[in-house]
Amino acid sequence: MAGTENGNSGGIAPERMAALREREAKAFRAARPKSERAFGEGLPGYLGGVPMHWMKDWPTPFPIMVDSAKGATIVDLDGNRLADFCLGDTGSMFGHSPPPVARAIRRQASRGLTYILPSEDAAVVGRLLAEKFGLPRWQIATTASDANRFALRAARAITGRRKVLVFNGCYHGAVDETFVRLDHGRPANKRGLAGEFRDLTQDTKIVEFNDIPALEAALGERDVACVITEPVLTNCCMVPPEAGFHEKLRRLTRDTGTLLLIDETHTISTAPGGFTRKHQLEPDMFVLGKPIAGGVPASVWGLSAETALRYDAYLATKEPGYSGIGTTLSANPLQFAAMRATLEAVMTEESYTHMETLAARLQGGLQQSIEKHALPWHVARVGARVEFICAPGPLRNGGEAEAAHAPALEAAIHVALVNRGVLIAPFHNMMLISPATTRRQVDRLAAAFADIAEALAA
């Protein structure tokens, strides 16, 4: 998930970046002796010294050892309090341990955690998903990666086609078919894939986001089962859709018999029904993971009425046997209890109004500092999701987003923000506003960013 190394310096001299990084690394270590002792050269018993290898991707000298998290605040082992704008890279987008979710977890814990049977909460969640997102038929998975895999399998079954289409720069979790990129204009496996022996481009077409002629040509061969896309490219330097892009995408997929899957795992920051509901998109399939259960691992994938009928027709003729869809712990009662609480009491219009208001305030504060110091940067936002990008914008596609990454500069900024009491996502410059985020925290982030921008531009 980390940005690709490239030569973009964001208009800042390399020696100035290095000096900031060195100075801030010393301050980080000085403030965290307990964390450094606890982490040591790595946590014992784990491959690479961490339970999950992304934990090594933080640009800090060593990972922050967390003692507790509540609302929009993280406290580390040394007692340092951080205003948390990373929020588990969207998994805790509605804050850490929202009270309705915490209560639901406690209640369900005494009733059993998994039993491969539905519960009363399951009956309620099915109705809530249809009401919230507009599609009538749903299935539950444990991660968005799983949900995307299962939805793509269903799309191939429905259409009888094997190929999928993705946009350059996309991110859809650990779905194999999506690990392709445009390398000097030619499709290729993404760099760095571990143990990948297949040429993924054999079954995946890839074009640039916002490139309608390329999309039309790729779909014109009528061999694509499904286009899978985020409404906004997010797990890179953010790329918004150009005016009319989604309307043309929907028309082209319908004209060529291709299903359209919208993955809202990051863009759920837009509104209670996601970017899809707010902008009246009409996907055949819909995926949402990460925050849907308030931090409990869960995801959902939904089908339109027509798509569900087509899938039912396929299933009526399918040979008996394992479909390759579903995992044993998916749709467990703990997930349903947490999802019900999230959908009913956390993911509300009032929460999003608060999030949107503070996100706009943060966007304005960051942009003001960029303009004050004449930095060649810009700020992008989709609802409660804000990102500063160390390059001019807006960006038009994934190729431009890749070139806009400035890893050395971003790393220095991230550590400097932590030393000023602010945590943002380590993989790119993403910041999230939660219902628990306060105006004071937003202003603290804006002030810290202004301080760092001044030091870099001096």
Side-chain angles (χ1 to χ4, degrees), residues 95-233:
H96 297 288
S97 300
V101 176
R103 289 193 295 269
I105 291 171
R106 286 195 297 270
R107 184 176 66 251
Q108 186 59 48
S110 64
R111 300 177 177 181
L113 300 180
T114 188
Y115 28 73
I116 321 184
L117 288 167
S119 62
E120 183 180 358
D121 285 336
V124 175
V125 167
R127 172 180 56 79
L128 290 171
L129 290 172
E131 291 175 358
K132 185 79 71 174
F133 303 113
L135 285 78
R137 299 278 292 278
W138 294 87
Q139 287 283 277
I140 309 302
T142 299
T143 69
S145 297
D146 285 340
N148 279 320
R149 287 190 194 100
F150 302 155
L152 289 179
R153 187 176 285 273
R156 285 169 163 149
I158 291 167
T159 62
R161 300 174 179 179
R162 61 185 289 175
K163 293 184 182 292
V164 300
L165 184 144
V166 300
F167 293 105
N168 191 35
C170 71
Y171 181 76
H172 300 288
V175 179
D176 288 352
E177 295 94 326
T178 67
F179 284 113
V180 296
R181 66 192 292 269
L182 287 176
D183 190 350
H184 297 92
R186 298 181 64 84
N189 284 12
K190 281 190 176 180
R191 297 171 184 165
L193 288 179
E196 184 55 71
F197 56 89
R198 297 163 296 174
D199 178 2
L200 298 175
T201 66
Q202 294 300 303
D203 289 322
T204 301
K205 296 186 176 185
I206 181 168
V207 300
E208 290 285 14
F209 199 68
N210 287 318
D211 189 341
I212 294 299
L215 178 65
E216 189 169 16
L219 295 182
E221 297 177 0
R222 295 179 178 268
D223 58 352
V224 174
C226 184
V227 171
I228 175 172
T229 186
E230 303 171 89
V232 178
L233 294 189

Side-chain angles (χ1 to χ4, degrees), residues 25 67 82 128 139 175 191 228 238 277 294 349 417 450 456:
D67 178 68
L82 296 171
L128 290 171
Q139 287 283 277
V175 179
R191 297 171 184 165
I228 175 172
M238 196 183 295
R277 204 73 188 267
E349 291 285 355
L417 286 172
L456 287 168

Side-chain angles (χ1 to χ4, degrees), residues 190-380:
K190 281 190 176 180
R191 297 171 184 165
L193 288 179
E196 184 55 71
F197 56 89
R198 297 163 296 174
D199 178 2
L200 298 175
T201 66
Q202 294 300 303
D203 289 322
T204 301
K205 296 186 176 185
I206 181 168
V207 300
E208 290 285 14
F209 199 68
N210 287 318
D211 189 341
I212 294 299
L215 178 65
E216 189 169 16
L219 295 182
E221 297 177 0
R222 295 179 178 268
D223 58 352
V224 174
C226 184
V227 171
I228 175 172
T229 186
E230 303 171 89
V232 178
L233 294 189
T234 60
N235 204 72
C236 56
C237 295
M238 196 183 295
V239 180
E242 293 179 347
F245 171 73
H246 280 294
E247 291 81 359
K248 293 171 184 174
L249 169 62
R250 180 67 280 195
R251 177 179 57 78
L252 285 172
T253 49
R254 284 181 171 145
D255 288 349
T256 57
T258 304
L259 296 178
L260 175 61
L261 190 164
I262 298 290
D263 181 354
E264 288 263 14
T265 298
H266 285 163
T267 53
I268 192 62
S269 60
T270 309
F275 194 100
T276 294
R277 204 73 188 267
K278 182 171 182 177
H279 295 278
Q280 300 180 315
L281 307 186
E282 298 176 354
D284 300 299
M285 310 176 93
F286 179 101
V287 164
L288 174 59
K290 290 192 179 179
I292 185 66
V296 172
S299 65
V300 298
W301 57 286
L303 294 83
S304 69
E306 180 183 353
T307 306
L309 286 173
R310 293 177 67 187
Y311 190 47
D312 284 342
Y314 163 80
L315 291 175
T317 63
K318 185 180 83 69
E319 237 180 277
Y322 183 54
S323 66
I325 293 176
T327 55
T328 303
L329 293 178
S330 294
N332 67 64
L334 186 65
Q335 289 175 326
F336 282 119
M339 276 193 284
R340 178 177 180 178
T342 300
L343 293 168
E344 285 184 335
V346 178
M347 204 172 172
T348 64
E349 291 285 355
E350 293 77 15
S351 291
Y352 273 90
T353 297
H354 172 84
M355 293 154 67
E356 177 86 16
T357 299
L358 289 187
R361 182 179 181 86
L362 176 59
Q363 180 183 22
L366 299 177
Q367 190 63 46
Q368 183 178 21
S369 293
I370 289 170
E371 292 173 1
K372 177 180 178 180
H373 298 291
L375 294 168
W377 305 354
H378 73 285
V379 182

